[in-house]
Amino acid sequence: MKSRLLMVLVFLLTFGMFLAACGSSEEEANGNSSGDESGNEEASGDANGDFSVAMVTDVGGVDDKSFNQSAWEGLQAFGEENGMSKGEGFDYAQSESDADYATNLNRLVRQDYDLIYGIGYLLQPAIAEVANQYPDTNFALVDSVQEGDNIASIVFKEHQGSFLAGVAAANKTKTDKVGFIGGVDGSLINKFEAGFVAGVKSVNPDIEVEVEYAESFNDSQRGQAIASNMYNKDIDVIYHASGGTGNGVFAQAKDIKNSNPDEDVWVIGVDRDQHEEGQIGDSNVTLTSMVKRVDIAVQNVSKQAMDGEFPGGEVLEFGLADDAISIARTNEEAMTEEIISAVEEWKEKIINGEVEVPSTREELQSFKDAL
Protein backbone atom coordinates (compact mmCIF):
# COMPACT_ATOMS: atom_id res chain seq x y z
CA MET A 1 0.00 0.00 0.00
CA LYS A 2 2.76 2.40 0.98
CA SER A 3 4.70 1.60 -2.20
CA ARG A 4 1.61 2.28 -4.33
CA LEU A 5 1.05 5.63 -2.63
CA LEU A 6 4.70 6.54 -3.14
CA MET A 7 4.41 5.79 -6.88
CA VAL A 8 1.35 8.08 -7.17
CA LEU A 9 3.17 10.93 -5.44
CA VAL A 10 6.20 10.56 -7.73
CA PHE A 11 3.92 10.58 -10.76
CA LEU A 12 2.12 13.74 -9.63
CA LEU A 13 5.39 15.52 -8.89
CA THR A 14 6.85 14.61 -12.28
CA PHE A 15 3.67 15.68 -14.09
CA GLY A 16 3.65 19.04 -12.28
CA MET A 17 7.25 19.74 -13.26
CA PHE A 18 6.38 18.90 -16.87
CA LEU A 19 3.49 21.39 -16.91
CA ALA A 20 5.67 24.12 -15.40
CA ALA A 21 8.33 23.59 -18.05
CA CYS A 22 5.74 23.78 -20.82
CA GLY A 23 4.31 27.01 -19.43
CA SER A 24 7.76 28.55 -19.19
CA SER A 25 8.61 27.57 -22.75
CA GLU A 26 5.35 29.02 -24.05
CA GLU A 27 6.01 32.36 -22.34
CA GLU A 28 9.52 32.50 -23.79
CA ALA A 29 8.18 31.74 -27.25
CA ASN A 30 5.69 34.60 -26.96
CA GLY A 31 8.48 36.97 -25.88
CA ASN A 32 6.80 37.84 -22.55
CA SER A 33 7.38 37.10 -18.91
CA SER A 34 4.66 37.19 -16.28
CA GLY A 35 6.03 40.50 -14.99
CA ASP A 36 6.09 42.45 -18.33
CA GLU A 37 3.07 44.71 -18.80
CA SER A 38 4.63 47.43 -20.94
CA GLY A 39 3.27 46.20 -24.28
CA ASN A 40 3.55 48.59 -27.22
CA GLU A 41 4.77 51.48 -25.07
CA GLU A 42 8.05 49.69 -24.47
CA ALA A 43 8.42 49.05 -28.20
CA SER A 44 7.83 52.73 -28.93
CA GLY A 45 10.30 54.07 -26.42
CA ASP A 46 12.89 52.07 -24.55
CA ALA A 47 13.26 49.55 -27.36
CA ASN A 48 14.47 46.16 -26.10
CA GLY A 49 15.69 47.82 -22.92
CA ASP A 50 18.28 49.93 -24.79
CA PHE A 51 18.78 53.69 -24.92
CA SER A 52 16.04 55.63 -26.70
CA VAL A 53 15.63 59.27 -27.67
CA ALA A 54 12.87 61.45 -29.11
CA MET A 55 12.14 65.08 -29.89
CA VAL A 56 9.16 67.43 -29.84
CA THR A 57 9.02 69.94 -32.71
CA ASP A 58 7.70 73.45 -32.52
CA VAL A 59 4.91 74.40 -34.91
CA GLY A 60 7.30 74.39 -37.88
CA GLY A 61 7.44 70.58 -37.93
CA VAL A 62 10.17 68.23 -39.16
CA ASP A 63 9.73 69.30 -42.78
CA ASP A 64 10.14 73.04 -42.23
CA LYS A 65 13.35 72.90 -44.31
CA SER A 66 15.05 74.76 -41.51
CA PHE A 67 15.50 74.43 -37.74
CA ASN A 68 13.27 71.47 -36.86
CA GLN A 69 14.34 69.55 -39.94
CA SER A 70 17.98 69.97 -39.02
CA ALA A 71 17.31 68.60 -35.52
CA TRP A 72 15.39 65.64 -36.96
CA GLU A 73 18.20 64.89 -39.41
CA GLY A 74 20.61 64.81 -36.47
CA LEU A 75 18.37 62.43 -34.55
CA GLN A 76 18.01 60.18 -37.60
CA ALA A 77 21.78 60.12 -38.10
CA PHE A 78 22.29 59.19 -34.45
CA GLY A 79 19.71 56.43 -34.72
CA GLU A 80 21.21 54.96 -37.88
CA GLU A 81 24.68 54.99 -36.34
CA ASN A 82 23.38 52.91 -33.46
CA GLY A 83 21.21 50.42 -35.32
CA MET A 84 17.91 52.09 -34.45
CA SER A 85 14.91 52.87 -36.61
CA LYS A 86 12.04 55.33 -36.37
CA GLY A 87 9.71 54.15 -33.62
CA GLU A 88 12.30 51.66 -32.41
CA GLY A 89 14.88 53.69 -30.54
CA PHE A 90 14.18 57.20 -31.84
CA ASP A 91 11.13 59.20 -32.90
CA TYR A 92 9.51 62.63 -32.90
CA ALA A 93 6.22 64.22 -31.90
CA GLN A 94 4.84 66.96 -34.14
CA SER A 95 3.30 70.06 -32.55
CA GLU A 96 0.52 71.84 -34.41
CA SER A 97 0.14 74.59 -31.81
CA ASP A 98 1.73 75.81 -28.57
CA ALA A 99 -0.86 73.80 -26.64
CA ASP A 100 0.70 70.57 -27.96
CA TYR A 101 4.13 71.06 -26.37
CA ALA A 102 3.41 69.77 -22.85
CA THR A 103 1.06 67.08 -24.20
CA ASN A 104 3.71 65.71 -26.55
CA LEU A 105 6.44 65.82 -23.91
CA ASN A 106 4.24 63.92 -21.43
CA ARG A 107 3.37 61.30 -24.05
CA LEU A 108 7.04 60.64 -24.80
CA VAL A 109 7.79 60.37 -21.08
CA ARG A 110 5.07 57.72 -20.75
CA GLN A 111 6.67 55.88 -23.64
CA ASP A 112 9.86 55.58 -21.57
CA TYR A 113 12.24 57.58 -23.74
CA ASP A 114 15.52 58.17 -21.93
CA LEU A 115 16.20 61.56 -23.52
CA ILE A 116 13.61 63.98 -24.90
CA TYR A 117 14.44 67.14 -26.86
CA GLY A 118 12.37 70.28 -27.00
CA ILE A 119 13.21 71.95 -30.32
CA GLY A 120 13.04 75.72 -30.07
CA TYR A 121 12.80 78.33 -27.35
CA LEU A 122 9.00 78.22 -27.54
CA LEU A 123 9.15 74.89 -25.68
CA GLN A 124 10.95 76.33 -22.66
CA PRO A 125 7.88 76.64 -20.39
CA ALA A 126 6.71 73.13 -21.23
CA ILE A 127 10.19 71.65 -20.69
CA ALA A 128 10.45 73.40 -17.32
CA GLU A 129 7.10 72.00 -16.22
CA VAL A 130 7.45 68.42 -17.45
CA ALA A 131 11.13 68.00 -16.46
CA ASN A 132 10.24 69.04 -12.93
CA GLN A 133 7.51 66.40 -12.81
CA TYR A 134 9.78 63.63 -14.12
CA PRO A 135 13.25 64.03 -12.55
CA ASP A 136 14.34 60.56 -13.73
CA THR A 137 13.93 61.47 -17.41
CA ASN A 138 16.55 63.56 -19.20
CA PHE A 139 15.56 66.53 -21.34
CA ALA A 140 17.46 68.80 -23.73
CA LEU A 141 16.22 72.25 -24.74
CA VAL A 142 17.49 73.73 -27.99
CA ASP A 143 17.85 77.49 -28.39
CA SER A 144 17.07 78.49 -24.82
CA VAL A 145 18.33 78.01 -21.28
CA GLN A 146 16.36 76.27 -18.54
CA GLU A 147 17.78 75.33 -15.16
CA GLY A 148 17.37 71.75 -13.96
CA ASP A 149 19.61 68.83 -13.07
CA ASN A 150 17.90 66.72 -15.75
CA ILE A 151 17.96 69.44 -18.44
CA ALA A 152 20.77 70.24 -20.88
CA SER A 153 20.47 73.63 -22.58
CA ILE A 154 21.83 73.87 -26.13
CA VAL A 155 22.42 77.36 -27.53
CA PHE A 156 24.27 78.82 -30.49
CA LYS A 157 26.10 82.04 -31.33
CA GLU A 158 23.74 82.85 -34.18
CA HIS A 159 24.81 86.50 -34.15
CA GLN A 160 28.30 85.45 -35.27
CA GLY A 161 27.05 83.56 -38.33
CA SER A 162 24.51 86.28 -39.07
CA PHE A 163 27.34 88.83 -39.09
CA LEU A 164 29.02 86.84 -41.86
CA ALA A 165 25.69 86.64 -43.71
CA GLY A 166 25.64 90.43 -43.52
CA VAL A 167 29.15 90.59 -44.95
CA ALA A 168 28.05 88.41 -47.86
CA ALA A 169 24.91 90.49 -48.45
CA ALA A 170 26.85 93.77 -48.37
CA ASN A 171 29.32 92.47 -50.94
CA LYS A 172 26.53 91.13 -53.19
CA THR A 173 23.98 93.96 -53.28
CA LYS A 174 23.91 96.21 -56.32
CA THR A 175 21.27 98.57 -54.96
CA ASP A 176 22.82 99.11 -51.51
CA LYS A 177 19.52 97.97 -50.03
CA VAL A 178 19.13 94.67 -48.16
CA GLY A 179 16.43 93.20 -45.95
CA PHE A 180 15.97 91.05 -42.86
CA ILE A 181 12.80 89.04 -42.21
CA GLY A 182 12.40 87.56 -38.74
CA GLY A 183 9.87 85.09 -37.41
CA VAL A 184 8.68 86.10 -33.93
CA ASP A 185 10.19 89.29 -32.54
CA GLY A 186 12.11 88.27 -29.42
CA SER A 187 15.56 87.94 -27.90
CA LEU A 188 16.54 84.89 -29.96
CA ILE A 189 15.73 86.24 -33.42
CA ASN A 190 17.04 89.65 -32.37
CA LYS A 191 20.47 87.94 -32.25
CA PHE A 192 20.14 87.14 -35.97
CA GLU A 193 18.98 90.69 -36.72
CA ALA A 194 21.73 92.39 -34.70
CA GLY A 195 24.51 90.25 -36.15
CA PHE A 196 23.27 90.68 -39.73
CA VAL A 197 22.94 94.46 -39.55
CA ALA A 198 26.37 94.71 -37.87
CA GLY A 199 27.94 92.66 -40.67
CA VAL A 200 26.35 94.78 -43.39
CA LYS A 201 27.33 98.07 -41.76
CA SER A 202 30.89 96.88 -41.13
CA VAL A 203 31.37 96.54 -44.88
CA ASN A 204 29.50 99.68 -45.85
CA PRO A 205 27.72 101.90 -43.29
CA ASP A 206 25.70 103.54 -46.08
CA ILE A 207 23.83 100.35 -47.05
CA GLU A 208 20.16 100.49 -46.00
CA VAL A 209 18.85 97.53 -44.00
CA GLU A 210 15.07 97.11 -43.73
CA VAL A 211 13.88 94.88 -40.89
CA GLU A 212 10.44 93.31 -40.56
CA TYR A 213 8.98 90.49 -38.48
CA ALA A 214 6.24 88.12 -39.62
CA GLU A 215 5.30 87.24 -36.01
CA SER A 216 5.15 83.59 -37.05
CA PHE A 217 7.53 80.75 -37.81
CA ASN A 218 4.99 78.91 -39.92
CA ASP A 219 3.28 81.40 -42.24
CA SER A 220 4.78 81.15 -45.72
CA GLN A 221 2.11 83.44 -47.21
CA ARG A 222 3.08 86.19 -44.79
CA GLY A 223 6.74 85.63 -45.59
CA GLN A 224 6.03 85.92 -49.31
CA ALA A 225 4.05 89.13 -48.85
CA ILE A 226 6.84 90.78 -46.85
CA ALA A 227 9.45 89.65 -49.37
CA SER A 228 7.37 90.98 -52.27
CA ASN A 229 7.15 94.38 -50.61
CA MET A 230 10.90 94.44 -49.97
CA TYR A 231 11.89 93.40 -53.49
CA ASN A 232 9.53 96.06 -54.87
CA LYS A 233 11.58 98.65 -52.94
CA ASP A 234 14.74 97.63 -54.83
CA ILE A 235 16.02 95.47 -51.99
CA ASP A 236 17.96 92.74 -53.78
CA VAL A 237 19.19 90.53 -50.90
CA ILE A 238 16.97 89.26 -48.06
CA TYR A 239 18.19 87.29 -45.06
CA HIS A 240 15.41 85.39 -43.31
CA ALA A 241 15.41 83.89 -39.82
CA SER A 242 11.82 82.75 -39.76
CA GLY A 243 11.60 78.95 -40.02
CA GLY A 244 8.80 77.79 -42.30
CA THR A 245 7.77 81.39 -42.95
CA GLY A 246 10.96 81.69 -44.96
CA ASN A 247 9.58 79.26 -47.54
CA GLY A 248 7.48 82.17 -48.77
CA VAL A 249 10.57 84.33 -49.14
CA PHE A 250 12.11 81.74 -51.44
CA ALA A 251 8.83 81.40 -53.34
CA GLN A 252 8.70 85.14 -54.02
CA ALA A 253 12.32 85.34 -55.14
CA LYS A 254 11.77 82.42 -57.51
CA ASP A 255 8.59 83.99 -58.90
CA ILE A 256 10.52 87.18 -59.70
CA LYS A 257 13.39 85.23 -61.25
CA ASN A 258 10.98 83.15 -63.29
CA SER A 259 9.28 86.28 -64.67
CA ASN A 260 12.53 88.12 -65.31
CA PRO A 261 15.60 85.85 -65.50
CA ASP A 262 17.93 88.85 -65.78
CA GLU A 263 16.82 90.38 -62.47
CA ASP A 264 19.13 89.67 -59.55
CA VAL A 265 17.21 88.84 -56.36
CA TRP A 266 18.76 86.80 -53.59
CA VAL A 267 17.77 84.98 -50.40
CA ILE A 268 20.09 84.06 -47.56
CA GLY A 269 18.82 80.90 -45.87
CA VAL A 270 19.07 79.96 -42.22
CA ASP A 271 19.83 77.05 -39.87
CA ARG A 272 20.62 74.55 -42.63
CA ASP A 273 21.97 74.90 -46.16
CA GLN A 274 18.85 76.02 -48.07
CA HIS A 275 20.43 75.89 -51.49
CA GLU A 276 17.81 73.44 -52.76
CA GLU A 277 14.99 75.80 -51.78
CA GLY A 278 16.32 78.42 -54.19
CA GLN A 279 16.66 76.22 -57.25
CA ILE A 280 14.73 77.40 -60.30
CA GLY A 281 15.67 75.80 -63.59
CA ASP A 282 19.36 76.32 -64.22
CA SER A 283 19.67 79.19 -61.75
CA ASN A 284 19.41 79.51 -57.98
CA VAL A 285 18.26 82.45 -55.84
CA THR A 286 19.97 81.21 -52.66
CA LEU A 287 23.07 83.34 -52.20
CA THR A 288 24.20 81.43 -49.13
CA SER A 289 22.85 80.19 -45.80
CA MET A 290 23.79 80.79 -42.19
CA VAL A 291 24.21 77.17 -41.16
CA LYS A 292 23.57 76.31 -37.54
CA ARG A 293 24.51 72.70 -36.87
CA VAL A 294 21.57 71.75 -34.71
CA ASP A 295 21.97 68.27 -36.16
CA ILE A 296 25.51 67.91 -34.81
CA ALA A 297 24.51 69.22 -31.39
CA VAL A 298 21.63 66.73 -31.21
CA GLN A 299 23.93 63.87 -32.21
CA ASN A 300 26.60 64.85 -29.67
CA VAL A 301 24.25 65.23 -26.71
CA SER A 302 22.44 62.01 -27.59
CA LYS A 303 25.73 60.12 -27.59
CA GLN A 304 26.71 61.64 -24.25
CA ALA A 305 23.39 60.54 -22.77
CA MET A 306 23.68 57.03 -24.20
CA ASP A 307 27.20 56.72 -22.75
CA GLY A 308 25.95 57.72 -19.30
CA GLU A 309 27.51 61.19 -19.52
CA PHE A 310 24.41 63.34 -20.00
CA PRO A 311 25.35 67.01 -19.33
CA GLY A 312 22.39 67.72 -17.07
CA GLY A 313 22.31 71.23 -15.65
CA GLU A 314 24.86 72.49 -18.19
CA VAL A 315 24.58 75.17 -20.88
CA LEU A 316 26.26 74.01 -24.10
CA GLU A 317 27.10 76.89 -26.44
CA PHE A 318 28.25 76.39 -30.04
CA GLY A 319 29.78 79.02 -32.35
CA LEU A 320 32.19 79.77 -35.19
CA ALA A 321 35.18 78.44 -33.28
CA ASP A 322 33.43 75.06 -32.89
CA ASP A 323 32.51 74.87 -36.60
CA ALA A 324 28.91 74.68 -35.37
CA ILE A 325 28.15 77.98 -37.14
CA SER A 326 29.17 78.57 -40.75
CA ILE A 327 28.31 80.18 -44.07
CA ALA A 328 27.38 77.85 -46.94
CA ARG A 329 29.35 78.00 -50.18
CA THR A 330 27.12 75.71 -52.22
CA ASN A 331 26.22 78.36 -54.79
CA GLU A 332 29.72 78.67 -56.21
CA GLU A 333 28.63 81.03 -58.96
CA ALA A 334 26.98 83.52 -56.60
CA MET A 335 29.48 83.25 -53.75
CA THR A 336 32.43 84.65 -55.64
CA GLU A 337 36.02 84.36 -54.46
CA GLU A 338 35.87 88.01 -53.46
CA ILE A 339 32.85 87.43 -51.20
CA ILE A 340 34.32 84.26 -49.69
CA SER A 341 37.59 86.06 -49.01
CA ALA A 342 35.75 88.87 -47.22
CA VAL A 343 33.72 86.38 -45.17
CA GLU A 344 36.86 84.49 -44.12
CA GLU A 345 38.62 87.71 -43.16
CA TRP A 346 35.80 88.79 -40.86
CA LYS A 347 35.44 85.24 -39.50
CA GLU A 348 39.05 85.31 -38.29
CA LYS A 349 38.50 88.69 -36.68
CA ILE A 350 35.53 87.31 -34.75
CA ILE A 351 37.29 84.13 -33.64
CA ASN A 352 40.41 85.93 -32.44
CA GLY A 353 38.35 88.48 -30.53
CA GLU A 354 39.16 91.48 -32.70
CA VAL A 355 35.45 91.94 -33.40
CA GLU A 356 32.79 91.51 -30.72
CA VAL A 357 29.54 90.82 -32.57
CA PRO A 358 26.43 92.42 -31.02
CA SER A 359 23.61 90.10 -30.00
CA THR A 360 20.95 92.65 -28.97
CA ARG A 361 19.53 95.82 -30.46
CA GLU A 362 21.17 97.85 -27.71
CA GLU A 363 24.56 96.35 -28.44
CA LEU A 364 23.96 96.88 -32.16
CA GLN A 365 23.37 100.58 -31.64
CA SER A 366 26.63 100.92 -29.73
CA PHE A 367 28.39 98.91 -32.45
CA LYS A 368 27.10 101.21 -35.20
CA ASP A 369 27.99 104.32 -33.20
CA ALA A 370 31.55 103.09 -32.99
CA LEU A 371 31.98 102.53 -36.72
Side-chain angles (χ1 to χ4, degrees), residues 3 17 57 75 108 118 138 141 153-154 252:
S3 60
M17 293 174 65
T57 75
L75 206 59
L108 294 176
N138 289 327
L141 177 61
S153 299
I154 300 171
Q252 183 60 30

Side-chain angles (χ1 to χ4, degrees), residues 162-173:
S162 297
F163 184 100
L164 299 183
V167 170
N171 278 276
K172 193 66 179 179
T173 180

Side-chain angles (χ1 to χ4, degrees), residues 186-327:
S187 59
L188 174 63
I189 306 304
N190 291 166
K191 290 170 68 178
F192 293 81
E193 174 194 337
F196 178 69
V197 175
V200 171
K201 296 293 185 179
S202 293
V203 175
N204 182 355
D206 295 329
I207 294 177
E208 297 178 24
V209 185
E210 181 168 330
V211 175
E212 189 166 349
Y213 282 78
E215 293 305 332
S216 173
F217 290 109
N218 194 34
D219 189 344
S220 61
Q221 290 185 339
R222 177 66 177 150
Q224 184 163 6
I226 296 173
S228 176
N229 185 49
M230 285 188 175
Y231 288 130
N232 284 336
K233 294 179 180 179
D234 288 333
I235 287 172
D236 56 355
V237 183
I238 297 176
Y239 174 40
H240 92 89
S242 58
T245 298
N247 295 336
V249 181
F250 282 103
Q252 183 60 30
K254 288 193 288 186
D255 282 351
I256 293 172
K257 195 69 174 176
N258 190 48
S259 300
N260 186 358
D262 294 329
E263 185 169 355
D264 285 331
V265 290
W266 302 102
V267 183
I268 297 178
V270 74
D271 293 334
R272 60 193 296 272
D273 187 352
Q274 295 193 300
H275 183 263
E276 291 183 3
E277 312 317 314
Q279 194 68 45
I280 175 170
D282 295 330
S283 51
N284 196 301
V285 298
T286 303
L287 172 61
T288 182
S289 299
M290 196 287 284
V291 181
K292 184 168 76 171
R293 298 305 301 270
V294 181
D295 56 338
I296 296 298
V298 166
Q299 286 180 263
N300 288 347
V301 174
S302 297
K303 186 177 188 307
Q304 285 180 278
M306 185 177 66
D307 293 342
E309 299 173 354
F310 177 70
E314 296 183 24
V315 177
L316 311 174
E317 189 173 29
F318 300 88
L320 285 177
D322 310 301
D323 290 327
I325 295 288
S326 63
I327 291 295

Side-chain angles (χ1 to χ4, degrees), residues 56 101-109 116-117 126-127 130 139:
V56 175
Y101 298 153
T103 300
N104 283 333
L105 289 168
N106 276 296
R107 176 167 63 83
L108 294 176
V109 170
I116 302 172
Y117 287 89
I127 286 282
V130 178
F139 297 84

